[in-house]
Amino acid sequence: MKQKAPKESTHVDELEEQVVEYLNHHPDFFANHPELLGKIEIPHESGVAVSLIERQVEALRSQLQESQQKLSKLLEVARTNDQLQDRMHRLTLELIDAATFEEVLNALEDELHDDFKADAVELRLFSASHIDEHLDETLSGQTDTFEQFFSQNQPICGKLDQDQLDYIFGTEGDRIASTALIPLKSEGVLGLLAIGSCDADRFAPHHGTEFLTRLGEIISRTLQAVSLPGI
């Protein structure tokens, strides 16, 4: 019975490890020996052998493409934020010029519909001393969400129950697929601003609410300065 020839794989593996270790400790090796870059060939996925420098160029090109895609996304976010700031500025100026409660409503309707492409805009104000009774009568068991909403004093985004949509948007509630709810709370002011969209993805729960928080603060302060019926 013939004995099998001793395998050389172990020896080859050891040599490879030594080469890898050497190159790790001498990263300038190929800079000192550039003639080797064109001679070393690496199998490509297509089956065609390419030189090391070609493989490096391909890798760099892939990295550049990925970086360009990330940069494009960052630029798009920056443009969106700039546009949002411009719209916020215009709305703020309109609210500053509003001298009555009706003018505040008109400014919100016009700016949110035109600049922010809202499909529905509703402002609801409550008497702080009668809010629990008012919501009980209106929502019939749907008060938990609103009580939590006012206690946390933070905007929320997403899909509301149909009873809540009907209460806020009336007959338009049937076509609203997503809503941004903004609490309005300051001295003498308690209410909410609802911005509705027919697009279910327009106001999603994972969306940031920093802009909505600022908007709520501006509107609350504006309402303080005008005549508020029923407050």
Side-chain angles (χ1 to χ4, degrees):
M1 184 175 180
K2 290 185 178 180
Q3 293 183 346
K4 293 183 179 180
K7 295 183 179 179
E8 297 183 359
S9 61
T10 302
H11 179 63
V12 172
D13 291 342
E14 291 177 354
L15 288 176
E16 288 182 355
E17 290 178 2
Q18 293 175 7
V19 171
V20 170
E21 184 177 359
Y22 179 84
L23 292 176
N24 279 331
H25 287 85
H26 299 82
D28 59 347
F29 176 81
F30 287 110
N32 296 330
H33 302 277
E35 71 281 359
L36 295 178
L37 292 174
K39 295 180 180 180
I40 298 177
E41 292 187 344
I42 302 176
H44 194 265
E45 293 178 356
S46 64
V48 179
V50 297
S51 69
L52 178 59
I53 193 169
E54 289 174 321
R55 186 65 176 269
Q56 287 178 319
V57 169
E58 182 185 351
L60 290 173
R61 185 180 293 115
S62 177
Q63 292 175 3
L64 177 60
Q65 184 177 7
E66 183 179 349
S67 297
Q68 288 175 332
Q69 291 174 346
K70 290 181 179 179
L71 179 59
S72 295
K73 290 181 180 179
L74 289 175
L75 290 175
E76 181 62 28
V77 170
R79 281 193 292 268
T80 300
N81 287 338
D82 284 342
Q83 293 171 355
L84 192 59
Q85 291 297 332
D86 288 341
R87 294 167 184 167
M88 185 72 161
H89 181 66
R90 287 195 295 270
L91 176 56
T92 302
L93 292 179
E94 290 291 330
L95 291 174
I96 289 175
D97 290 338
T100 66
F101 179 71
E102 288 73 17
E103 289 179 357
V104 172
L105 287 179
N106 290 336
L108 290 175
E109 286 278 351
D110 293 342
E111 294 298 324
L112 292 177
H113 277 294
D114 295 341
D115 278 354
F116 295 91
K117 308 304 179 186
D119 294 311
V121 177
E122 293 292 339
L123 178 65
R124 291 285 184 267
L125 297 175
F126 310 107
S127 168
S129 60
H130 298 98
I131 185 171
D132 291 335
E133 177 184 350
H134 180 73
L135 290 179
D136 268 333
E137 293 175 354
T138 307
L139 296 179
S140 180
Q142 296 290 331
T143 60
D144 290 345
T145 297
F146 284 94
E147 289 177 353
Q148 184 178 9
F149 169 71
F150 284 119
S151 64
Q152 292 181 348
N153 198 30
Q154 291 292 329
I156 58 175
C157 295
K159 181 174 176 57
L160 299 181
D161 294 337
Q162 192 59 50
D163 287 343
Q164 296 167 342
L165 290 173
D166 292 341
Y167 165 64
I168 294 174
F169 297 108
T171 57
E172 291 186 314
D174 290 339
R175 67 188 186 96
I176 300 303
S178 64
T179 307
L181 279 184
I182 306 171
L184 304 176
K185 292 183 70 174
S186 62
E187 185 177 353
V189 175
L190 181 63
L192 61 86
L193 175 68
I195 307 174
S197 174
C198 298
D199 181 358
D201 297 324
R202 178 70 184 280
F203 299 113
H206 64 274
H207 288 174
T209 58
E210 181 179 355
F211 163 74
L212 299 178
T213 298
R214 293 180 180 180
L215 179 60
E217 292 173 351
I218 293 172
I219 296 173
S220 296
R221 293 296 180 88
T222 302
L223 291 174
Q224 264 187 245
V226 300
S227 175
L228 298 178
I231 299 299

